[in-house]
Amino acid sequence: MEETKILIIEDEQKIADTLKVGLAENGYHVEVAYDGKIGERLFFAHDFNLVLLDINLPGVNGYELAKIIRAHNTLIPIIMLTSLSSLNDKMEGYDAGTDDYMVKPFEFRELLVKIRVLLKRTMNQQVPVGNILRAADLSMNLDSKEVRRGSDVISLTAKEFQLLEYLLRNKNKVVSRAAIAVNVWDIDFDTNTNIIDVYISYLRNKIDKPYDHKLIQTHVGMGYILKETER
């Protein structure tokens, strides 16, 4: 069986080395870079299955590096490990293309769970015939990552794309905030954060606001639904 390769890009050597030992003990092959430039070179030199990425890195910061990695590989899971804990920091990380965000200090066991979930999701990813998701005049091409409303091309961030994909896969069904948190962010829903509502608002501004037929609807106390018909 082919080994699973993880790239750690972390400038705090003690943290990076501790993670490397722990992940190796759990059967992963691990490479470590202590600055962004070396991390970028390592990423392009080897085929990794997942990246653990700090934000405040010398050379290239984590946000920029996430964008570089995501532009090259749209599927590889990226988890940010950082001491920056504000909602704005998290949103910038997700917008850069990360799949998950963990604030230091964190439990190593929780990181292991997130790694396993993301790797399973990536390796078992199923796409429908034609790789196109549709609802009314909205279409999403899962190969080219192009989203259209009618003839209009709509530009989305990586996390907006993932959220819209989840809504499209569950079109005409109400999905709860908890379900969105688990399936799009791979986290348990935190009632103290409004990050899901913020991203729903971002999507509405892009795919609904300019058009008469509003696709994303709120069911108060229940969640959201992407509805093809207006009735």
Side-chain angles (χ1 to χ4, degrees), residues 9 20 29 51 54 57 97 102 191 199 214:
I9 309 175
K20 180 177 181 178
H29 176 85
V51 178
D54 190 16
L57 294 165
M102 295 189 70
T191 56
Y199 273 86
K214 311 304 181 187

Side-chain angles (χ1 to χ4, degrees), residues 157-210:
T157 66
K159 190 53 66 175
E160 289 168 354
F161 187 95
Q162 290 175 19
L163 175 56
L164 181 58
E165 179 183 350
Y166 181 70
L167 294 175
L168 279 166
R169 289 185 184 276
N170 292 277
K171 66 182 179 181
N172 301 319
K173 294 192 295 187
V174 176
V175 291
S176 67
R177 288 173 175 81
I180 293 172
V182 170
N183 288 281
V184 179
W185 273 269
D186 292 304
I187 57 174
D188 292 330
F189 180 56
D190 181 357
T191 56
N192 294 318
T193 181
N194 66 340
I195 192 168
I196 293 171
D197 305 289
V198 168
Y199 273 86
I200 288 287
S201 177
Y202 288 164
L203 277 184
R204 280 177 162 154
N205 285 335
K206 292 182 177 183
I207 72 168
D208 271 346
K209 190 174 181 179

Side-chain angles (χ1 to χ4, degrees), residues 49-50 70 74-79 94 97-100 113-127 158-159 161-163 165-166 169 179-187:
N49 301 102
L50 183 140
R70 185 58 70 224
T74 60
L75 295 179
I76 187 170
I78 304 171
I79 302 176
Y94 288 127
T98 62
D99 297 278
D100 211 334
V113 170
K114 289 177 181 291
I115 288 172
R116 288 167 184 157
V117 167
L118 285 171
L119 288 172
K120 183 178 179 181
R121 188 182 73 183
T122 302
M123 292 173 180
N124 295 332
Q125 190 173 42
Q126 299 293 319
V127 294
K159 190 53 66 175
F161 187 95
Q162 290 175 19
L163 175 56
E165 179 183 350
Y166 181 70
R169 289 185 184 276
I180 293 172
V182 170
N183 288 281
V184 179
W185 273 269
D186 292 304
I187 57 174

Side-chain angles (χ1 to χ4, degrees), residues 53-231:
L53 181 61
D54 190 16
I55 293 176
N56 291 323
L57 294 165
V60 181
N61 72 51
Y63 295 132
E64 293 305 314
L65 194 48
K67 292 175 184 176
I68 292 168
I69 291 170
R70 185 58 70 224
H72 178 75
N73 187 326
T74 60
L75 295 179
I76 187 170
I78 304 171
I79 302 176
M80 276 194 165
L81 310 176
T82 177
S83 58
L84 302 178
S85 60
S86 75
L87 178 59
N88 286 339
D89 293 323
K90 294 177 182 179
M91 288 171 61
E92 188 170 355
Y94 288 127
D95 286 344
T98 62
D99 297 278
D100 211 334
Y101 191 108
M102 295 189 70
V103 177
K104 302 172 185 173
F106 52 82
E107 287 284 344
F108 180 71
R109 289 179 300 170
E110 183 181 3
L111 175 62
L112 273 181
V113 170
K114 289 177 181 291
I115 288 172
R116 288 167 184 157
V117 167
L118 285 171
L119 288 172
K120 183 178 179 181
R121 188 182 73 183
T122 302
M123 292 173 180
N124 295 332
Q125 190 173 42
Q126 299 293 319
V127 294
V129 176
N131 292 350
I132 304 290
L133 299 176
R134 301 183 190 276
D137 61 344
L138 176 69
S139 65
M140 170 182 281
N141 187 310
L142 297 169
D143 289 331
S144 67
K145 306 301 179 185
E146 182 179 80
V147 175
R148 288 180 177 267
R149 184 83 196 258
S151 60
D152 299 333
V153 176
I154 298 172
S155 177
L156 299 178
T157 66
K159 190 53 66 175
E160 289 168 354
F161 187 95
Q162 290 175 19
L163 175 56
L164 181 58
E165 179 183 350
Y166 181 70
L167 294 175
L168 279 166
R169 289 185 184 276
N170 292 277
K171 66 182 179 181
N172 301 319
K173 294 192 295 187
V174 176
V175 291
S176 67
R177 288 173 175 81
I180 293 172
V182 170
N183 288 281
V184 179
W185 273 269
D186 292 304
I187 57 174
D188 292 330
F189 180 56
D190 181 357
T191 56
N192 294 318
T193 181
N194 66 340
I195 192 168
I196 293 171
D197 305 289
V198 168
Y199 273 86
I200 288 287
S201 177
Y202 288 164
L203 277 184
R204 280 177 162 154
N205 285 335
K206 292 182 177 183
I207 72 168
D208 271 346
K209 190 174 181 179
Y211 306 96
D212 292 332
H213 179 193
K214 311 304 181 187
L215 295 170
I216 300 175
Q217 300 175 21
T218 302
H219 281 229
V220 178
M222 299 173 68
Y224 298 100
I225 182 171
L226 193 150
K227 201 169 183 181
E228 281 192 286
T229 59
E230 295 186 83
R231 290 185 177 183

Side-chain angles (χ1 to χ4, degrees), residues 23-57:
L23 291 171
E25 289 175 349
N26 281 271
Y28 298 107
H29 176 85
V30 184
E31 297 287 342
V32 175
Y34 301 115
D35 72 57
K37 279 293 184 185
I38 294 174
E40 183 180 354
R41 287 199 295 270
L42 273 175
F43 175 76
F44 284 104
H46 304 278
D47 291 325
F48 290 101
N49 301 102
L50 183 140
V51 178
L52 300 178
L53 181 61
D54 190 16
I55 293 176
N56 291 323
L57 294 165

